[in-house]
Amino acid sequence: IVNFIQGRIQESKSHFDSAVRGRLTHHTQGVVHLFLGRCLDLEGQRERALEAYQQALSAGGVEPRLKKALQDGVKKPYRDQRRSSLHLDLQFPDAFAY
């Protein structure tokens, strides 16, 4: 996520691609798909981004804030201007805003 916030989209996408194949909690898997979808949107790969968002949504049981972020991703492509509004705070379990 730090790479994503700093604009290193290709590096970020590579890490999210790897994470998707790992053993993650249900929530973390959803977050990974969200940010993978955003990376793909930023690279102009809209169809693959939609697949990432839909995969997380179809798993069910997604917490409300994450579900809204995923649904927003389905409705319209993620744009780089929104990336600058993200913040990372590692002192809390849910360390970032979607």
Side-chain angles (χ1 to χ4, degrees), residues 7-28:
R8 296 192 306 255
I9 304 307
Q10 186 61 39
E11 188 175 350
S12 181
K13 187 180 90 176
S14 175
H15 290 295
F16 291 129
D17 274 333
S18 295
V20 163
R21 295 185 294 275
R23 293 184 60 184
L24 304 170
T25 66
H26 184 71
H27 176 75
T28 304

Side-chain angles (χ1 to χ4, degrees), residues 14-96:
S14 175
H15 290 295
F16 291 129
D17 274 333
S18 295
V20 163
R21 295 185 294 275
R23 293 184 60 184
L24 304 170
T25 66
H26 184 71
H27 176 75
T28 304
Q29 190 78 11
V31 172
V32 167
H33 278 96
L34 171 67
F35 280 94
L36 177 58
R38 287 177 173 181
C39 288
L40 292 164
D41 266 338
L42 291 173
E43 290 183 335
Q45 298 182 53
R46 183 66 178 149
E47 292 303 315
R48 287 189 60 208
L50 286 170
E51 290 173 15
Y53 299 134
Q54 292 290 0
Q55 190 170 356
L57 286 167
S58 67
V62 179
E63 67 95 10
R65 287 187 319 142
L66 179 56
K67 184 176 183 177
K68 181 179 179 340
L70 289 161
Q71 290 170 333
D72 288 347
V74 169
K75 289 177 190 171
K76 61 183 176 180
Y78 189 81
R79 295 290 173 237
D80 200 43
Q81 301 89 312
R82 295 179 57 203
R83 185 179 51 79
S84 64
S85 67
L86 295 174
H87 69 279
L88 186 63
D89 185 347
L90 296 177
Q91 66 181 325
F92 298 104
D94 191 0
F96 46 87

